[in-house]
Amino acid sequence: MSGTRPGTYFSLLGPVQAHRDDSPLPLGPPQQRALLAMLLCRRNAVVGLDELIDGLWGGEPPRSAVGTVRSYAYRLRRALGGGLLTHGRGYALQVGPGELDLTRFDELTTRARAHVSAGDPEAARDLLARALEMWRGPALAGLPGPQARIQRERLAELRLSVLMERVELDLRLGGHGGLVAELTGLCLEHPLNDRLRTLRDAALERGGREREARTTPPGAEAPAAAPTPTAPPHLPVPDQLPYVPGDFTGRAEAVRDLLDALAPTAPETVVVCAVGGIGGVGKTTLAVHAAGRLREHFPDGQLYANLRGVREDPADPAAVLAGFLRALGVTDPALPEEPRERAALYRTRLAGKRILLVLDDARDAAQIEPLLPGSPTCAVLVTSRSTLSGLPAARRLRLDVLPAAEALALLGRIVGEERITAEPAEAAALVERCGGLPLAVRIAGSRLGTRPAWKLADFRRLLDGRRPAFGPGFGPALPGRDEPEGSVEACFRLGYDLLDAGQARLFRLMVVPRTPTLDLASAAALAGLDPAEAERHLERLTALGLLESPAPLTYRFHDLLGEFAAARSEERDSPGDRTAALLRLADHMLACAREAYAAERPGHPLVGLLTPTTARGASFEAGPPHIEAVLAVAVQTLEARPSAVGLIADTLLALDPALDGSFLWAALLTPARRVLRTAEEQEDLRAAGRTGFLLGSALTRLGRFDEAEAALHDAERAAAAAADEVVRTEILICRAVARQGRADWTAADALYREAIAAGTACGNAWGATNARSNSVSTLLRLRRYAEAAEACRLSLTAAREGGDRYGEAHALYSLGIVARQGGRAAEAIARHRESAELGVRGGYPALEVMNLISETAAHLAAGHPREAAECGERALAATERLGWRAAQARTLRLLGTALAEYGDHARARTRLTQALAHLEALALPEAAEASAVLASLAPPGH
C-alpha cells in the first residue's frame, strides 16, 4: 500500500511531475525534482544520503550538500503529504501500484510481450502503442545532475527499444505504408542505429521501393563523414574474460548472489551488479569466476576491461569503447571519433544481444556511465574499491576478507594440504596474520610453495618481524587484476596515492589511537578538523576502500591496512604530531563525557570542576565500545605525555555515570591503576584523589571490599590535601557502601552522616542527596525506621525537583526496601517495579538488578516462594549479563531459599551450593544464611 495520500500520481516520462486528483503538486526547483526522480527510480527502496549527494552533484558536492538534501526531503514530504520516509541516513519513497507512469509503461510492455508469445501480435502492438503514448518528451527533462543524466539516457534507450518492437509488429501486421516516414525521421535522429536502418529498408521494400532501400538516409548531407560500420564475416563471439586462478576458494554465497542477480529469466532493464571491497580482497577473481559460470546465459559473448580506477592513469571510457567495438566487429575506419557517437554505436551493436560486460577496478560512476548498454538483454558486473554510490546497481555486494576456514583452505591449496596438517596451529595463526586478505594469503602461500623446506612457524615469525608485513619486495610478483603485482603494500599504496594532503593526514592519524573504531566526532577531534570537513575526508577514504564503515559515521581499519597506515605515519608524522593528536582526542572525550555527566547528574557541581577543554561538546553514548575506547586512549595519552594526568583523571572521573549504567567496572581497574601511578609520580594530588575514588568505586561494586577500602582511604587523603571537597563527598559515600557490604552498619552510618555534612558544606547537594538515599539500608538495619522513611522522602523530592532520573529511581528502590521492612510487601513490589522500569528506560541496568533482587526478597517476605523463584531467575540472568558477582551471589541465595520453601529441594540445593561458593569467595556475610538454609534441606535421596 502506498504511503502517499490517495489519488497521487507521479510522472517521469517527460518533465518530472506529481498530481493529486488532477491537480499538480509543487515540487520545487529542478534540483529538488532531481532528488524526487532518484527516489522514484528506486521506489520503495532506501536510497542512502551519500548516493543522493553523488547523484545530484557528482564527485565535488558543496559543503552544504547534506543540509540541502535534508531540506529538499523535508519540502517534498510536505508537498506529497506523506510517503517519503527516513531510514537512518537515507530515504525511501513509498509508491503504490499504478502511481508511477514508468511502472505503468513497464506493465504494458510486459503484457505486450506476453501477447507476442501467445501468438496475438495485434493486441501486443496496441499495448506497445499505448505504452509509448505515455511519453511527454525526453524523460526527466531539464533535471540537473549525473544521476538524472544516466537515467535519462537509460530511459531513452528503453523507449527506443520498445518503439522498435512496435515497428516490427506493425511490419508483421502489414502496416509498412505508414512506417517509412516515421523510420526515416528516426534514422536521422539515430544515424548509427543499424536496426532502425534495417527496419526502414524492410518498410521500403514491402512498399515496392527497393531501389531506395540500403541507401543513405534522406537529408544526410555528407555520407562519407560517418562510414557505415561493417562486421567481418564469421566474427568470433567475444570471450575476453581473463584467467581465474585454479585455487579459487570459498565465496559460495557471494557467487550465488551474483549468479542469481545476473541471470534473470526475463529482464526488463539492464542488470548491473557492483562488487566492492578493499584492495587485495579478491573482487576481480570473484567477478571473473562468476562471469565464467554465466557463459551459457550470455551466448553472444563476454566483454572485459580493466578500468585501472586506482591508478594515476585510469582508463579512458572512449578507449575502452573502441576496444569493445573492435571485438563486436567494427573496423578502425568506422570508429566514430566523437565519444558520444562511439557510445551510441556501441549500444546499437549490443541491441538485442545477450552479452555480459565485466568492468573491473572502476574509479567512479562517471567512468562507467558511457560503457553501460541500453539493451535489457545485456548485463554488467562492476568491481571497484569505491562505493560507486551514483551507479544504478540492482545488486551491491561488499566483499569482506575470507573467513578463517576459507583462508586456511586457500593456503592449503597453494602450499599443499600435508603442510597444513603437519602444523595446523601455525597455519591458522598464519592466515590470521594475513588478516584473511586473499592477496596476503596468496603472497604467503606462493613464497612457502617455492620453499618446501621452510616451517610455517619460522615463516610466521619472519612476518611478525616485518613492519609492515608484506611490504615492498616481499614475495613473488603475482598475476592479478584488482591486486597489483608485487606486495600488499603496493596494492594499498595505489589508493593512498589518490588522496590529497588533508585526506592522507587523516588516514595516517586514524591509526594513532589504539581503538578498534572511531566515530566521526572523534576522528575530527583527532585531526583538529571541522566535522563536516572530516566527514568528507572519511567518506573519500571509505569510498577508496582504505577505511571500513561498520555503522553510520563509524570507521575502522582492516588489520593490514592499519599496519600500512602506521608505516605511513612513522614516515610523515613526528612523535609530537601523534602526541598532539592524542591530546586533542582526549580533550574531545572529556568534553563528551562532561556533557553526559551533566545530563545524568543534573546540578552536580563536579561538572564545573573538571579540567577545561577546547573541544566542542558532543553526545556521549555510553556503551562498551565507547568506554573501552576512552580507557585505551587515556592510557596511551599518558604514555606519550605523563604531565597530562590531570586531563586524563578528569576524563575517567566523568565516566562515573556511564560506568554505573554499563557496569563495566572490571574494565576500569587496570587503566585506573596506571593513571593513579602516574598521578603519584607527577605529585598531582587532585588527580590521585579523583582516580583513587573511581578505582575504589570499581572495587566496591565488584565486591572486593578490602582492596576498595584501602584505595578509598588513600583517595580521601589526597582529595582532602587538594581541598577537593566535592570529590571527597563522593569518596565518603563509596566508603560507606563498602562498609555496608561488610555488614558494618555502625561504621557505614557514620560515613553517610559525614558525607551528608561534607556535601552540604561544599555545595554538593547531589552528593548529599545520594548519601541520604544510599543510607536507607543501613538505617533499617539499625532499626531507625522513621529516619529511613524520611531519607527516602527527602531523596525522592530532591531528585524529582532536580530532574535527576537516576536519583528518582534510586529513591523509589529505597522506598521499596522501607515498605518491605515495614511488612508492606505489595507496596514494596510495586515500588521496585516502578524503579526498575525507570532504570531500564534510563539505561541503568545495575538499578534493574538491584530492584529484581529486592523484589525477590519482597515475594519471600509475603510468603509467595513460587513468585520469588520466578523473579529470582530473572534477577540471576540480569546479574550474569552484567557480570556483577556480588549481586549474583546474593541472588543465588534468595533463589535457593525460595526453591526450598516451595519444596524443590534438588534445585534449591544446587542454587544454594553455588551461592555459598560465591559468597565465601567474596567474604560476604550472607554466606552464613546460605549455609543455614542448605543445612536444613534433607540429604539427597531422602
Side-chain angles (χ1 to χ4, degrees):
M1 180 177 290
S2 168
T4 54
R5 286 172 56 182
T8 305
Y9 185 79
F10 298 98
S11 303
L12 288 177
L13 305 181
V16 173
Q17 297 176 348
H19 290 78
R20 181 174 300 120
D21 301 327
D22 297 327
S23 298
L25 298 176
L27 300 181
Q31 201 166 50
Q32 185 169 302
R33 283 183 279 118
L35 176 70
L36 175 62
M38 292 173 66
L39 296 170
L40 286 169
C41 288
R42 295 272 298 282
R43 51 203 173 276
N44 302 318
V46 177
V47 186
L49 183 62
D50 294 337
E51 186 173 347
L52 292 169
I53 291 172
D54 221 32
L56 291 176
W57 290 284
E60 297 184 359
R63 293 186 135 207
S64 60
V66 172
T68 301
V69 168
R70 288 175 175 157
S71 176
Y72 287 162
Y74 171 75
R75 294 174 194 165
L76 286 171
R77 187 179 287 116
R78 293 188 63 186
L80 300 177
L84 180 52
L85 307 179
T86 302
H87 291 272
R89 279 174 55 84
Y91 300 92
L93 181 60
Q94 294 181 324
V95 180
E99 293 184 353
L100 177 64
D101 59 357
L102 178 58
T103 304
R104 181 66 178 148
F105 178 85
D106 290 339
E107 290 170 354
L108 289 170
T109 55
T110 300
R111 286 171 54 197
R113 289 162 187 155
H115 279 294
V116 171
S117 301
D120 189 356
E122 190 169 356
R125 189 263 173 215
D126 290 343
L127 287 169
L128 291 179
R130 284 171 55 192
L132 291 165
E133 286 170 0
M134 300 177 67
W135 289 71
R136 298 168 291 104
L140 283 63
L143 295 191
Q147 183 61 217
R149 185 175 66 253
I150 291 172
Q151 293 293 347
R152 192 158 40 241
E153 292 189 8
R154 178 183 75 82
L155 292 172
E157 294 282 354
L158 175 63
R159 178 184 179 278
L160 182 60
S161 175
V162 172
L163 178 59
M164 288 189 285
E165 288 182 57
R166 195 223 75 205
V167 168
E168 288 174 344
L169 289 172
D170 277 332
L171 284 172
R172 285 176 60 181
L173 295 169
H176 49 271
L179 291 175
V180 173
E182 181 182 10
L183 285 167
T184 298
L186 287 170
C187 286
L188 286 171
E189 187 180 347
H190 305 279
L192 300 177
N193 193 307
D194 288 344
R195 187 178 173 194
L196 282 173
R197 277 199 299 276
T198 301
L199 290 170
R200 186 203 61 182
D201 290 348
L204 287 168
E205 289 170 0
R206 294 187 188 186
R209 300 161 63 181
E210 293 88 346
R211 296 185 64 180
E212 297 179 46
R214 296 193 267 304
T215 62
T216 302
E221 298 295 328
T228 301
T230 58
H234 310 299
L235 185 70
V237 171
D239 190 354
Q240 299 182 341
L241 297 180
Y243 165 75
V244 178
D247 54 27
F248 179 82
T249 303
R251 305 295 196 197
E253 184 177 351
V255 171
R256 185 169 58 252
D257 285 350
L258 291 177
L259 297 184
D260 290 346
L262 290 166
T265 54
E268 297 180 9
T269 186
V270 178
V271 176
V272 179
C273 289
V275 179
I278 66 173
V281 81
K283 301 179 293 294
T284 299
T285 304
L286 169 67
V288 175
H289 173 81
R293 291 183 56 178
L294 286 164
R295 278 190 171 91
E296 64 182 42
H297 293 279
F298 297 94
D300 296 319
Q302 296 84 39
L303 298 174
Y304 171 88
N306 184 347
L307 301 183
R308 305 194 305 274
V310 292
R311 304 275 183 168
E312 293 181 356
D313 58 339
D316 180 1
V320 176
L321 284 171
F324 284 169
L325 285 168
R326 291 186 188 103
L328 294 169
V330 178
T331 59
D332 280 354
L335 283 174
E337 290 296 325
E338 209 278 323
R340 293 180 68 86
E341 291 184 6
R342 192 172 288 186
L345 176 59
Y346 162 71
R347 292 189 175 108
T348 299
R349 283 285 175 177
L350 292 180
K353 289 186 170 62
R354 293 197 60 79
I355 287 180
L356 175 64
L357 287 91
V358 179
L359 305 177
D360 191 19
D361 192 19
R363 172 165 289 201
D364 50 32
Q367 188 187 32
I368 298 167
E369 179 188 335
L371 308 177
L372 296 178
S375 174
T377 55
C378 297
V380 183
L381 178 52
V382 182
T383 75
S384 179
R385 298 190 195 188
S386 171
T387 53
L388 299 178
S389 56
L391 183 70
R395 179 75 172 90
R396 292 182 182 275
L397 188 69
R398 192 71 186 172
L399 206 59
D400 203 350
V401 296
L402 288 171
E406 292 184 9
L408 196 60
L410 174 60
L411 182 65
R413 297 187 70 173
I414 298 171
V415 306
E417 291 296 336
E418 65 281 357
R419 295 178 77 176
I420 304 298
T421 305
E423 297 180 81
E426 290 298 335
L430 178 56
V431 296
E432 183 180 0
R433 183 68 184 86
C434 293
L437 193 70
L439 174 58
V441 175
R442 287 187 188 282
I443 291 175
S446 297
R447 192 166 193 194
L448 281 167
T450 59
R451 295 163 175 80
W454 281 24
K455 294 288 187 183
L456 268 61
D458 295 335
F459 182 68
R460 185 175 63 80
R461 281 192 288 273
L462 173 64
L463 286 183
D464 288 340
R466 287 178 175 263
R467 291 294 180 268
F470 308 102
F474 184 91
L478 297 175
R481 290 151 299 275
D482 73 345
E483 308 97 351
E485 296 182 356
S487 69
V488 174
E489 181 175 327
C491 173
F492 293 159
R493 189 176 282 278
L494 287 173
Y496 178 75
D497 288 345
L498 294 176
L499 304 175
D500 64 28
Q503 295 160 359
R505 175 176 174 269
L506 180 56
F507 174 75
R508 297 193 304 269
L509 291 180
M510 286 282 287
V511 80
V512 172
R514 294 193 289 261
T515 58
T517 62
L518 281 176
D519 60 24
L520 168 61
S522 298
L526 184 74
L529 296 174
D530 176 84
E533 184 179 5
E535 183 175 8
R536 288 195 296 275
H537 289 347
L538 290 165
E539 290 303 310
R540 170 69 169 157
L541 293 169
T542 305
L544 287 173
L546 293 170
L547 283 179
E548 297 172 345
S549 182
L553 302 182
T554 304
Y555 305 89
R556 70 184 180 199
F557 282 106
H558 177 275
D559 289 347
L560 295 183
L561 266 166
E563 291 186 20
F564 174 81
R568 303 290 75 74
S569 184
E570 288 182 14
E571 290 173 357
R572 297 295 305 276
D573 306 317
S574 70
D577 292 335
R578 293 193 286 274
T579 298
L582 283 171
L583 287 168
R584 286 191 297 268
L585 180 56
D587 189 61
H588 162 75
M589 288 178 163
L590 173 54
C592 293
R594 183 208 304 272
E595 271 197 18
Y597 197 105
E600 291 297 328
R601 297 183 178 173
H604 201 303
L606 181 65
V607 174
L609 299 175
L610 296 171
T611 300
T613 72
T614 58
R616 290 180 297 180
S619 61
F620 183 91
E621 298 177 9
H626 300 76
I627 289 174
E628 289 169 352
V630 173
L631 297 178
V633 169
V635 171
Q636 191 179 357
T637 304
L638 279 192
E639 291 171 357
R641 183 73 59 82
S643 60
V645 69
L647 167 71
I648 298 305
D650 279 4
T651 303
L652 265 58
L653 180 59
L655 290 179
D656 191 15
L659 287 161
D660 231 4
S662 63
F663 211 82
L664 283 173
W665 292 106
L668 175 74
L669 295 179
T670 299
R673 287 191 172 108
R674 173 71 175 84
V675 176
L676 181 57
R677 186 165 60 252
T678 304
E680 291 167 349
E681 290 168 354
Q682 295 288 313
E683 298 182 349
D684 190 328
L685 290 172
R686 179 175 173 276
R690 294 183 171 199
T691 308
F693 157 60
L694 209 58
L695 175 61
S697 294
L699 292 166
T700 299
R701 284 161 176 79
L702 295 171
R704 295 159 63 171
F705 297 117
D706 289 343
E707 296 173 76
E709 289 189 66
L712 291 167
H713 182 268
D714 291 343
E716 187 185 355
R717 279 195 311 176
D724 199 359
E725 286 300 300
V726 169
V727 173
R728 194 174 79 86
T729 303
E730 307 297 328
I731 295 172
L732 288 166
I733 297 169
C734 198
R735 287 188 61 197
V737 172
R739 294 315 306 167
Q740 204 169 257
R742 286 279 186 241
D744 188 349
W745 309 111
T746 302
D749 176 51
L751 286 165
Y752 279 131
R753 282 187 281 108
E754 189 177 355
I756 293 168
T760 303
C762 72
N764 186 357
W766 194 98
T769 298
N770 189 37
R772 191 174 289 112
S773 183
N774 274 284
S775 71
V776 169
S777 293
T778 293
L779 293 170
L780 290 171
R781 291 283 186 165
L782 295 171
R783 301 181 183 279
R784 288 152 59 183
Y785 302 116
E787 288 182 57
E790 179 66 6
C792 289
R793 188 187 64 77
L794 291 172
S795 299
L796 184 61
T797 300
R800 285 177 171 168
E801 288 176 352
D804 179 1
R805 295 169 300 172
Y806 179 88
E808 180 181 0
H810 196 282
L812 288 168
Y813 162 76
S814 299
L815 281 169
I817 296 175
V818 169
R820 172 163 55 87
Q821 292 291 335
R824 304 186 303 279
E827 180 187 338
I829 291 167
R831 291 293 194 183
H832 287 311
R833 288 178 177 174
E834 186 181 1
S835 174
E837 185 181 349
L838 279 175
V840 171
R841 286 209 312 265
Y844 313 122
L847 264 177
E848 180 191 11
V849 168
M850 291 161 57
N851 280 288
L852 283 170
I853 294 171
S854 286
E855 185 184 339
T856 302
H859 283 299
L860 274 173
H864 301 140
R866 185 176 297 275
E867 290 83 349
E870 291 173 356
C871 187
E873 291 289 358
R874 295 200 307 275
L876 183 60
T879 63
E880 289 170 348
R881 282 197 302 272
L882 287 187
W884 190 354
R885 288 185 62 206
Q888 184 180 4
R890 290 173 172 138
T891 303
L892 285 166
R893 180 185 69 78
L894 288 169
L895 179 55
T897 303
L899 291 167
E901 287 191 11
Y902 83 77
D904 191 344
H905 287 191
R907 288 176 62 206
R909 187 176 294 104
T910 299
R911 292 307 195 191
L912 288 166
T913 301
Q914 293 171 332
L916 194 58
H918 285 295
L919 291 165
E920 288 178 343
L922 294 170
L924 294 175
E926 291 98 328
E929 297 174 48
S931 182
V933 178
L934 185 59
S936 70
L937 298 176
H942 287 71

